[in-house]
Amino acid sequence: MATKLTVLSNGSLRVEGTDFELVDAQGQPYGLGGRERISICRCGLSKNKPFCDGSHKGHFEHNAVAFDLPTPGGAPANPAPAAPTPPDAGNQPLA
């Protein structure tokens, strides 16, 4: 199974798969004990960071809804519609 990351609403980042590794800032691997699913803390309240221990309950709100990131160095993936042109405020009659 390919590695899958799921951003949970009001909660952690779930990592699932049969072949993933979690390493610290120095590149040292965490011992995951053969787990194929772990949850990573997003709220900063866990006493077992980087792993989630459920401390976020009632203290962290984030409605996880997917969206497209803009293309690197390019235009936004979903550009906003152009604003309508305001009527001419000069002495010209409105059509």
Side-chain angles (χ1 to χ4, degrees), residues 32-82:
L32 302 178
R35 288 174 177 79
E36 294 182 0
R37 182 168 76 175
I38 60 172
S39 291
I40 303 297
C41 176
R42 290 196 304 137
C43 72
L45 298 174
S46 176
K47 306 236 182 325
N48 195 29
K49 289 187 221 51
F51 304 102
C52 176
D53 67 2
S55 294
H56 62 271
K57 290 185 169 102
H59 301 284
F60 180 71
E61 293 184 24
H62 174 257
N63 188 19
V65 177
F67 60 91
D68 294 332
L69 290 174
T71 304
N78 294 321

Side-chain angles (χ1 to χ4, degrees), residues 5-42:
L5 287 89
T6 306
V7 180
L8 300 175
S9 291
N10 304 324
S12 62
L13 177 66
R14 181 184 300 148
V15 183
E16 299 174 274
T18 56
D19 188 26
F20 66 86
E21 181 179 44
L22 181 65
V23 299
D24 67 13
Q26 291 74 42
Q28 297 300 309
Y30 286 88
L32 302 178
R35 288 174 177 79
E36 294 182 0
R37 182 168 76 175
I38 60 172
S39 291
I40 303 297
C41 176
R42 290 196 304 137

